[in-house]
Amino acid sequence: MTGSLFSLQGFIRLGELDANGNIGKMRWVGNVPEATLELGTSNTDKNESFSGKRLQIGRLATGTTAALNMTLDYWSSANLALAFQATVADIAASTVTSEAFPSGLVAGDQVRLDHPFASNLVITDSTGTPATVDPAHYGLVGHGANIVEIKDVATYVQPFKAAYSYEAAQNIVLFSAPGKVVFLQFDGINTETDEPVILDLWRTRFDPVSNMGLINAEYGNLPLSAAVLYDTRRAADPVLGGFGRMLQKKAS
């Protein structure tokens, strides 16, 4: 048996690890158009010094490394948390009253509200009995309902003050959660033979996203890389190994 050609596709799932390294709940990261496993060793070479030709007479292995590079297509809070080494928390919907704007605004100026996804915006001025600004003199602009554009200050007394409602949101704080170690499984299929292939990597630690296009002419993605770390607990089991293992069905 000489083997077969191969072309792999499949699911990549990440699993939480507890303090003892046990694998908890898993999640599928979505479509991954590219994923590459890189294995390597570092070495120190020794050349002889007696023949006059400095021939290599030894190689000492000084390290073993494994890394994974992959591209995520799916935009989700969990994927963004992984890419940005971020914490994700919910912000409840609520209302705001008397949020002060900067003074000295003129027509054409834009002001950022403290909360995005605003609605029911009402602006008043700073007279003793605050006057309500005509809605024709301002408006929300942009996609996030977060920016107010002043169209006409008229004779109103500044600073203006805003009252509005805002919707619930997910807050993703960049670099607020150092990259944690997770279990990674490639649940794949060799499309040449329709045979399943499973790759288990016991401990992977992702770096933050290397680059993310904020303006896309085509579909965007999240390119990620991870170090595959040595698992001293599983290394003692020859069936599991320290870095990971690959499983495939035994030929009948």
Side-chain angles (χ1 to χ4, degrees):
M1 178 67 177
T2 59
S4 68
L5 299 173
F6 70 95
S7 179
L8 302 179
Q9 290 197 326
F11 302 94
I12 288 182
R13 297 186 179 94
L14 301 180
E16 297 179 356
L17 295 174
D18 67 15
N20 295 317
N22 298 313
I23 301 166
K25 64 180 181 179
M26 306 279 291
R27 74 172 184 92
W28 176 45
V29 300
N31 192 55
V32 178
E34 296 180 355
T36 305
L37 180 65
E38 299 179 355
L39 306 177
T41 57
S42 55
N43 306 285
T44 297
D45 294 337
K46 173 61 73 173
N47 294 345
E48 52 82 13
S49 59
F50 48 80
S51 71
K53 296 183 179 179
R54 297 181 176 85
L55 302 174
Q56 183 175 334
I57 58 173
R59 166 165 284 189
L60 178 66
T62 58
T64 299
T65 60
L68 182 81
N69 298 299
M70 67 181 189
T71 301
L72 304 185
D73 274 350
Y74 280 18
W75 182 276
S76 69
S77 58
N79 282 353
L80 292 173
L82 184 69
F84 298 146
Q85 293 187 348
T87 53
V88 180
D90 290 338
I91 296 176
S94 188
T95 59
V96 172
T97 58
S98 299
E99 183 178 307
F101 284 8
S103 298
L105 297 176
V106 298
D109 283 345
Q110 297 185 346
V111 178
R112 173 186 173 276
L113 296 175
D114 288 343
H115 299 274
F117 318 128
S119 61
N120 304 317
L121 175 64
V122 175
I123 295 178
T124 55
D125 76 354
S126 290
T127 53
T129 302
T132 300
V133 177
D134 186 338
H137 291 174
Y138 64 89
L140 287 167
V141 296
H143 301 291
N146 180 220
I147 302 297
V148 179
E149 182 172 85
I150 304 300
K151 299 178 181 179
D152 187 352
V153 296
T155 58
Y156 296 109
V157 177
Q158 298 190 47
F160 296 123
K161 296 178 182 179
Y164 58 93
S165 304
Y166 60 88
E167 298 180 37
Q170 284 189 323
N171 193 47
I172 301 171
V173 183
L174 277 61
F175 289 114
S176 58
K180 63 181 181 178
V181 176
V182 296
F183 167 71
L184 184 145
Q185 182 188 73
F186 172 64
D187 176 9
I189 185 170
N190 182 353
T191 60
E192 182 71 18
T193 62
D194 285 334
E195 288 293 324
V197 176
I198 296 174
L199 174 67
D200 291 329
L201 301 176
W202 307 125
R203 301 176 69 236
T204 58
R205 188 182 189 279
F206 281 88
D207 296 325
V209 63
S210 56
N211 62 78
M212 187 188 79
L214 295 179
I215 304 291
N216 305 119
E218 299 179 355
Y219 289 119
N221 54 49
L222 297 169
L224 295 177
S225 61
V228 181
L229 306 178
Y230 189 66
D231 188 330
T232 55
R233 187 171 69 91
R234 288 184 172 86
D237 188 336
V239 175
L240 302 178
F243 285 99
R245 66 175 180 177
M246 183 174 285
L247 296 170
Q248 58 183 8
K249 289 183 178 178
K250 185 177 180 180
S252 57

